[in-house]
Amino acid sequence: MTAALEVRGLKTHFFTRSGAVKAVDGVDLSIERGRVLGLVGESGSGKSVTGLSILGLIDHPGRIVEGSVRLDGQELVGLDRDASRRVRGRRIAMIFQDPMMTLNPVLRVGTQMSMALRAHETVSNAVVRERSLKALGKVGLPAPEQCLAAYPHQLSGGMRQRVAIAIALLHSPSVIVADEPTTALDVSIQAQILQEMQRLGAETGVALVWITHDLAVVSSLAHDIAVMYAGRIVEYGPTADVLAQPRHPYTRGLLDSVPGEAEPGEKLAQIPGSIPALIDLPPGCAFRARCSRATGACETMPEIADIGGRLARCFHPLEAA
Amino acid sequence: MSAPLLELDAVSRRFSRKISLGDRIAAKLGAPVETREVRAVENVSLSVMKGETLGLVGESGCGKSTLGRIAAGILPPSAGTARLDGKPVMAEDGRHQKLTTRVQTVFQDPFASLNPRKRIGETIGEGPLAHGLIDRAGSRAYVAEQLSRVGLDPSYASRFPHQFSGGQRQRIAIARALAMKPDLLICDEPVASLDVSIQAQVLNLFLDLRRALNLTAIFISHDLGVVRHLSDRVAIMYLGRIVEIGPANEIYAAPKHPYTQALLASVPRLNRHREGRTAFKPIAGELPSPLSPPPGCHFHPRCALATERCRTEPPQLRPLGPMRWAACHLAE
């Protein structure tokens, strides 16, 4: 069975005046139908650029310099403008962080949904309405009829995000890339959206790439987790394994930084320093300046390798507990 | 912990639309004028003991920041008073002037709260100079001391805010607040805009400083994990009212108010030793608009236990055990 989405050796660089920024520098991912992959990282790790690259949404001065993105076996990198527009929105869709920015404020929800449908299909008004209502119902909006007639500002943040998800679902895509879709929402609304997404993944068989900085969110939602640092994946494996026994020192550091697990009032085990600038990264492991296990060997880039049932990019992985 | 350092006594704050000249003329002529007001904080009383950290938790629009600003003497309350050591934080004669420098605030966004055109040494030294805590001759050494206390190199004093990362800027904001030698620190979501690894660094700094300076603090956050980590006591707010208050460990272990229970259940938890995925248990419904909160208990439309009484009669905070209070008709 071919994976719904297969990313191999993806490199996206931004060519700025002060040099090339290697935002994504060799990322491999694979995700099957009905599964959820959590793509985790801090700001500047390249997780959003990875998501945008998958959809072919990288603009000047950025460019995919190498690698392949296969959707149900079809190569997307190198497709011309028209061909990639036929794929985007129909077979692969994206949900963004801020639904206030992604919905058009001067068009009714119904108009926007019909535009999204008619971008790929020629359908009658009745069918548009029927399918829009169905999609809105799927994401758990209580009054789909009223919602179709509403403008985005009349909806709450959580409802707007549901509309964005409904639009993504209109063409029953194989893959949805969701970039921090619940970060702007309150916890109670976030839990509602996460519950819907879990259900939708199981019902529709859509493969979901969930980009976030919040490990707690992916810990309950994702089957697999990929941790990114400075444009590369440093650890990748089944969520339960990675969280219970991280092998890469960065993953371990991230997990220990989350309050709530630690004894209240005790100091958190922190990672010293901050994420390096992606311009002119020195050769070798990008994490080595912040890593307590770094040695001379870390001055060359470690390959990502199978360590105890998951992939990790480290010369000195943590031992299994 | 003996006498309360900060006391909020039946504090309320309403925000209403400014009535324009046009509206006033329209009203004179008998036209109905919309006077919608938001009750951001409604009749809140609480006290903070010396040396204690009180966590203030709630979703957006619940009034936690407004309450923090009233305690900090930034916003005058519409009713009630905030008192520090028995003396009002703000003048009550309509001048709305802050009377004390012993309360200082750290704000959420260190990009907005630092003047981009001032060197950070100036930003930190300005308050203490203006209030006579230091003199001009001693200011350089004083600023250096403040910077090294928050883990920054004293030579940074001559730099501008844009030369720092988010985590460093938040350290500068903390240094600025502490330079005023406050007794009470109000932290309004100070780590919300930071990455987890940087957030851990700032939280650790806060823990160190609290111990070293015996600080009293109100820590406002929507992040229940952060609040649990730092707070001795926690107050949960919903639509302008405190619904539950008590020792942090007890509230997290056994919440009494249905809202607290639902809120804690809906937080995704990083359980590192769990097998596979877990189901989410969200609260039903949406957060009502603070412009027209539901009558009775504000939480009743989303509460599974609500009865007729909850729909009409607003519950008062009542004691449910040592140091534990909840505003629910049904909690025991």
Side-chain angles (χ1 to χ4, degrees):
Chain A
M1 180 179 150
T2 50
L5 182 72
E6 181 98 29
V7 177
R8 285 284 159 251
L10 181 70
K11 290 189 181 184
T12 304
H13 297 177
F14 290 82
F15 299 93
T16 66
R17 238 186 263 173
S18 31
V21 178
K22 299 175 177 173
V24 177
D25 206 21
V27 161
D28 299 320
L29 296 170
S30 143
I31 172 165
E32 274 158 30
R33 290 184 63 77
R35 306 275 288 181
V36 183
L37 170 72
L39 191 57
V40 183
E42 297 183 274
S43 11
S45 62
K47 56 187 193 303
S48 292
V49 175
T50 303
L52 293 170
S53 303
I54 290 171
L55 273 99
L57 290 173
I58 298 294
D59 273 336
H60 183 78
R63 186 154 58 79
I64 297 180
V65 292
E66 228 181 282
S68 107
V69 175
R70 283 173 184 276
L71 179 67
D72 294 322
Q74 187 203 349
E75 179 61 54
L76 299 186
V77 175
L79 282 187
D80 65 37
R81 212 177 117 92
D82 286 343
S84 82
R85 285 184 78 162
R86 278 196 296 274
V87 173
R88 203 188 304 133
R90 186 165 63 89
R91 291 173 47 207
I92 185 164
M94 189 146 181
I95 306 166
F96 296 90
Q97 173 171 348
D98 187 349
M100 203 60 220
M101 306 294 282
T102 51
L103 295 175
N104 189 330
V106 298
L107 296 180
R108 293 179 197 276
V109 167
T111 318
Q112 301 190 48
M113 294 191 82
S114 103
M115 286 165 79
L117 256 177
R118 289 190 161 132
H120 298 284
E121 285 173 55
T122 314
V123 278
S124 70
N125 284 339
V127 173
V128 165
R129 190 177 165 77
E130 181 208 336
R131 283 179 56 185
S132 301
L133 285 174
K134 209 172 123 199
L136 290 173
K138 255 194 217 163
V139 295
L141 273 165
E145 302 261 350
Q146 285 160 28
C147 189
L148 271 188
Y151 288 97
H153 76 267
Q154 295 172 304
L155 307 173
S156 69
M159 285 160 82
R160 283 200 286 266
Q161 197 59 291
R162 281 166 203 259
V163 169
I165 296 169
I167 292 176
L169 286 171
L170 272 177
H171 294 280
S172 312
S174 312
V175 177
I176 295 181
V177 178
D179 189 1
E180 303 254 12
T182 60
T183 306
L185 305 175
D186 274 313
V187 272
S188 69
I189 308 301
Q190 167 174 287
Q192 292 175 357
I193 300 274
L194 291 174
Q195 191 192 36
E196 298 295 347
M197 291 312 290
Q198 222 173 31
R199 190 178 55 76
L200 286 169
E203 276 175 19
T204 61
V206 65
L208 196 60
V209 180
W210 195 273
I211 300 172
T212 181
H213 68 278
D214 190 335
L215 283 156
V217 166
V218 284
S219 87
S220 320
L221 183 73
H223 300 92
D224 295 301
I225 183 169
V227 181
M228 280 192 82
Y229 189 77
R232 291 170 199 256
I233 289 176
V234 294
E235 187 157 2
Y236 185 9
T239 306
D241 296 354
V242 172
L243 295 184
Q245 279 186 10
R247 290 301 186 85
H248 196 284
Y250 176 63
T251 315
R252 172 67 181 277
L254 263 190
L255 287 165
D256 287 345
S257 298
V258 178
E261 283 279 293
E263 191 61 28
E266 291 301 311
K267 285 184 70 169
L268 299 159
Q270 66 185 43
I271 310 175
S274 52
I275 204 159
L278 293 172
I279 217 161
D280 294 329
L281 266 183
C285 173
F287 187 58
R288 70 173 196 271
R290 303 173 76 184
C291 182
S292 59
R293 302 168 76 89
T295 63
C298 304
E299 281 165 33
T300 51
M301 174 60 76
E303 288 304 312
I304 193 153
D306 193 311
I307 299 171
R310 96 284 307 267
L311 299 167
R313 189 188 286 280
C314 186
F315 287 122
H316 312 293
L318 300 154
E319 293 76 28
Chain B
M1 290 193 193
S2 45
L5 178 69
L6 176 82
E7 271 181 288
L8 298 179
D9 185 10
V11 168
S12 298
R13 174 72 208 192
R14 299 190 179 91
F15 292 103
S16 47
R17 207 166 56 113
K18 265 224 174 80
I19 296 169
S20 66
L21 182 66
D23 287 341
R24 229 177 293 168
I25 294 168
K28 274 257 163 70
L29 298 172
V33 175
E34 202 183 14
T35 51
R36 296 214 291 181
E37 57 172 22
V38 177
R39 296 180 180 191
V41 172
E42 236 186 300
N43 200 17
V44 167
S45 299
L46 59 83
S47 51
V48 185
M49 302 293 162
K50 200 153 177 43
E52 180 185 48
T53 301
L54 176 78
L56 207 51
V57 190
E59 298 179 89
S60 34
C62 73
K64 55 188 191 300
S65 288
T66 305
L67 190 62
R69 277 164 197 242
I70 291 171
I74 298 171
L75 268 180
S78 312
T81 43
R83 281 189 294 269
L84 191 73
D85 262 345
K87 289 187 280 284
V89 174
M90 269 191 137
E92 285 168 318
D93 53 7
R95 284 180 301 140
H96 299 325
Q97 196 177 13
K98 189 176 168 184
L99 297 176
T100 175
T101 59
R102 292 168 58 202
V103 194
Q104 294 296 323
T105 313
V106 180
F107 297 95
Q108 170 172 354
D109 186 354
F111 290 76
S113 67
L114 297 174
N115 186 334
R117 298 172 64 178
K118 267 196 181 149
R119 296 178 197 277
I120 63 158
E122 259 180 275
T123 296
I124 294 171
E126 189 182 28
L129 263 179
H131 288 279
L133 268 63
I134 51 169
D135 54 20
R136 204 157 277 285
S139 111
R140 184 184 285 265
Y142 188 75
V143 168
E145 186 193 321
Q146 303 304 316
L147 280 173
S148 53
R149 187 159 66 187
V150 296
L152 293 174
D153 193 296
S155 68
Y156 290 173
S158 56
R159 295 194 184 175
F160 289 98
H162 74 263
Q163 294 171 289
F164 295 94
S165 67
Q168 287 175 320
R169 287 189 213 202
Q170 206 51 294
R171 287 172 192 263
I172 295 164
I174 293 172
R176 170 177 62 183
L178 293 180
M180 290 302 294
K181 300 200 162 89
D183 296 316
L184 177 65
L185 195 62
I186 313 278
C187 304
D188 190 358
E189 303 256 19
V191 295
S193 57
L194 305 177
D195 269 317
V196 249
S197 71
I198 308 302
Q199 170 177 299
Q201 294 172 2
V202 173
L203 293 179
N204 281 344
L205 171 68
F206 180 79
L207 288 169
D208 282 341
L209 291 170
R210 188 177 68 176
R211 217 163 289 156
L213 305 173
N214 190 28
L215 275 178
T216 309
I218 294 183
F219 200 95
I220 301 167
S221 180
H222 67 279
D223 186 327
L224 288 139
V226 168
V227 166
R228 176 192 202 153
H229 196 75
L230 297 178
S231 312
D232 302 304
R233 277 195 307 143
V234 176
I236 318 278
M237 288 187 77
Y238 187 73
L239 287 178
R241 297 177 183 162
I242 288 182
V243 296
E244 183 160 4
I245 183 165
N249 50 1
E250 290 182 32
I251 289 205
Y252 279 82
K256 303 252 189 209
H257 195 284
Y259 176 64
T260 319
Q261 290 166 0
L263 190 66
L264 286 172
S266 63
V267 177
R269 222 160 276 164
L270 177 65
N271 188 344
R272 287 164 67 171
H273 302 284
R274 176 172 50 207
E275 291 299 308
R277 310 196 304 167
T278 40
F280 294 97
K281 297 183 214 79
I283 311 178
E286 298 268 338
L287 200 64
S289 159
L291 277 169
S292 51
C297 173
H298 286 344
F299 188 58
H300 84 254
R302 303 171 79 187
C303 181
L305 309 170
T307 63
E308 195 45 51
R309 189 176 172 208
C310 304
R311 287 179 197 105
T312 49
E313 185 189 334
Q316 300 299 315
L317 269 177
R318 57 194 175 88
L320 290 168
M323 294 181 67
R324 292 203 61 174
W325 299 69
C328 177
H329 294 309
L330 307 162
E332 278 162 23

